[in-house]
Amino acid sequence: MEHPENSEMYKGLTVNKGIEQPSIVNPYLKLRKKPRRREFSVGEYVEGIVKGDVTVLSQAVTLVESVKPEHQAIAQEVIEKSLPYSGKSMRIGISGVPGAGKSTSIDVFGLHVLEKGGKLAVLAIDPSSERSKGSILGDKTRMEKLSVHPKSFIRPSPSAGSLGGVARKTRETIILCEAAGFDKIFVETVGVGQSETAVHSMVDFFLLIQLAGTGDELQGIKRGIMEMADGIVINKADGSNIEKAKLAASHFRNALHLFPVPDSGWTSKVMTYSGFYGIGIKEIWDMIDEYFAFVKANGYFEYRRNEQAKYWMYESINEHLRDSFYNNETIATMLAAKEEEVLNGRLTSFVAAKKLLDAYFSTLK
Ligand code: GDP
């Protein structure tokens, strides 16, 4: 029987015969399997990237973001071979709390810088993306005009790992983008503290987007972030908000006077603008161009890039040591027990750490 459910045994249950399905509309359509994405060799990746092939670039960035050791091995080689072609861009960090107008602004900033030619990559660092499994920062759908611009490349934040790991991947992506001829790089982040430090460690200019608030707008801003900013711009200076934005700008200017002049010798500028209505955009970018000319003339540009390179060497060492330690099998089996002993007061934290480290080092011998 076609439908055993219709047997006498099962009362109250009848299953109707299905209707015959029509054949496919186009009999000539071959139902093919989706071809597997071809894997490139290191040489092919580098060649494609240097030629500016965005498909190859995207695939290489995916390798950079992958946690698989075999992907990482290729990625590291591709990065190393791309390095000689990198370094020649304006790297600009853009930060602001959610709702500050980052996506609206990046869209207009992007179009503005592309007017003069060149290519723009928009990357992101979003420390929350680890939990939410995927980031909205740097998402194409948020930047309507830029996302369809032929000279732009938009990539959301890498999502796996610690903030340090996410930041490293973005930094490595910068190198690949530069090798692919992107001469302007925006790195977007949310204004939550630590992620700003990460972005600051990989850009030449750090732009902080603020809003005019209720009069105590300075309260919420951590001192460290203001000190990091090379420019502070107050968004939504339009309509009835213009005066408030101007007032906020003067508060920021006064607050900045309290900080010592930074190493760059550049005093942060404070400006108002409207991303939505496109007011004051040119002035902001003239200021940023002025900054680049200033720090290139006084040597700070080189100095900051060198300091960043040094910082990333140590960050990279730290990350690898940490990974090696926590992925070590001996450590993995001991860790929970030692943690328990510390919590029970049977071991001090220092003794527990020493025992774990000794065990780790003895596995290396
Ligand atoms: P993000 O979360 O920082 O990326 O902010 P969005 O760019 O998504 O902007 C948040 C909201 O503010 C949106 O509703 C925008 O339309 C609005 N907005 C952005 N820029 C301006 C502006 O210059 N003026 C006004 N009035 N609204 C703006």
Side-chain angles (χ1 to χ4, degrees):
M1 198 194 303
E2 191 184 358
H3 286 292
E5 303 95 323
N6 291 346
S7 131
E8 286 293 301
M9 282 168 62
Y10 308 112
K11 295 208 186 320
L13 182 72
T14 44
V15 177
N16 295 332
K17 195 172 182 302
I19 58 161
E20 206 160 295
Q21 295 296 316
S23 65
I24 55 172
V25 179
N26 177 358
Y28 302 106
L29 180 78
K30 290 207 185 79
L31 292 173
R32 266 178 301 158
K33 270 203 204 138
K34 210 174 148 198
R36 271 193 60 176
R37 198 154 69 175
R38 196 168 80 80
E39 308 227 329
F40 298 118
S41 68
V42 170
E44 286 171 320
Y45 271 120
V46 178
E47 201 190 314
I49 289 171
V50 173
K51 263 200 289 185
D53 184 328
V54 178
T55 315
V56 179
L57 172 67
S58 291
Q59 245 172 283
V61 173
T62 306
L63 284 191
V64 166
E65 291 175 354
S66 167
V67 289
K68 288 194 184 151
E70 63 269 29
H71 289 167
Q72 273 304 310
I74 304 173
Q76 291 309 317
E77 247 189 277
V78 174
I79 292 163
E80 203 184 311
K81 295 208 161 68
S82 300
L83 263 178
Y85 304 98
S86 72
K88 297 177 208 77
S89 78
M90 286 170 93
R91 303 172 183 166
I92 294 164
I94 298 176
S95 170
V97 293
K102 291 181 296 304
S103 26
T104 313
S105 305
I106 290 174
D107 216 22
V108 288
F109 290 163
L111 292 183
H112 179 81
V113 299
L114 284 171
E115 268 174 25
K116 294 182 204 149
K119 297 202 287 180
L120 166 70
V122 181
L123 312 175
I125 291 185
D126 181 359
S128 65
S129 65
E130 190 189 347
R131 262 168 289 136
S132 56
K133 290 278 173 251
S135 166
I136 56 158
L137 283 193
D139 188 346
K140 291 179 188 201
T141 54
R142 294 164 61 237
M143 294 150 201
E144 283 174 24
K145 297 193 197 79
L146 213 50
S147 61
V148 292
H149 196 289
K151 301 285 180 195
S152 81
F153 176 73
I154 302 177
R155 186 89 188 184
S157 174
S159 61
S162 59
L163 171 60
V166 170
R168 175 183 57 77
K169 289 168 190 174
T170 303
R171 180 178 154 91
E172 291 175 348
T173 303
I174 292 180
I175 292 168
L176 299 185
C177 290
E178 288 178 348
F182 288 86
D183 58 346
K184 283 131 199 138
I185 313 271
F186 290 175
V187 186
E188 179 188 9
T189 193
V190 279
V192 292
Q194 272 186 320
S195 58
E196 266 91 354
T197 317
V199 173
H200 188 253
S201 70
M202 63 181 82
V203 297
D204 307 312
F205 185 96
F206 191 85
L207 186 71
L208 182 63
I209 299 181
Q210 289 292 327
L211 292 176
T214 48
D216 16 81
E217 40 277 303
L218 297 182
Q219 254 184 18
I221 302 167
K222 295 194 192 71
R223 189 193 146 102
I225 297 178
M226 265 188 78
E227 281 179 288
M228 261 189 270
D230 301 299
I232 297 176
V233 286
I234 323 280
N235 190 16
K236 309 195 187 181
D238 45 52
S240 58
N241 211 22
I242 296 180
E243 286 311 313
K244 261 203 271 176
K246 281 189 185 155
L247 188 65
S250 74
H251 284 160
F252 276 107
R253 274 185 209 109
N254 290 338
L256 280 171
H257 283 312
L258 303 175
F259 299 140
V261 178
D263 294 345
S264 58
W266 169 267
T267 330
S268 303
K269 303 275 185 294
V270 183
M271 305 173 110
T272 61
Y273 79 110
S274 167
F276 191 82
Y277 294 100
I279 306 165
I281 311 298
K282 182 181 180 299
E283 288 74 7
I284 293 175
W285 287 89
D286 287 349
M287 179 264 287
I288 293 175
D289 285 339
E290 192 192 327
Y291 170 87
F292 274 86
F294 181 82
V295 292
K296 280 188 175 167
N298 75 3
Y300 182 76
F301 180 84
E302 272 297 308
Y303 170 80
R304 181 157 163 176
R305 288 235 172 147
N306 287 338
E307 285 296 304
Q308 290 173 340
K310 201 165 79 182
Y311 170 84
W312 282 99
M313 182 183 88
Y314 287 109
E315 274 296 291
S316 178
I317 293 172
N318 292 345
E319 199 193 335
H320 284 109
L321 283 178
R322 227 180 356 244
D323 281 355
S324 162
F325 177 81
Y326 288 107
N327 293 332
N328 183 292
E329 278 179 28
T330 311
I331 296 305
T333 54
M334 285 174 71
L335 207 55
K338 285 283 168 283
E339 192 185 304
E340 191 68 31
E341 285 179 288
V342 170
L343 291 176
N344 292 339
R346 273 184 277 136
L347 273 185
T348 68
S349 327
F350 307 104
V351 174
K354 174 94 173 52
K355 280 184 194 284
L356 283 161
L357 286 167
D358 285 346
Y360 171 70
F361 289 127
S362 67
T363 64
L364 302 181
K365 285 185 187 132

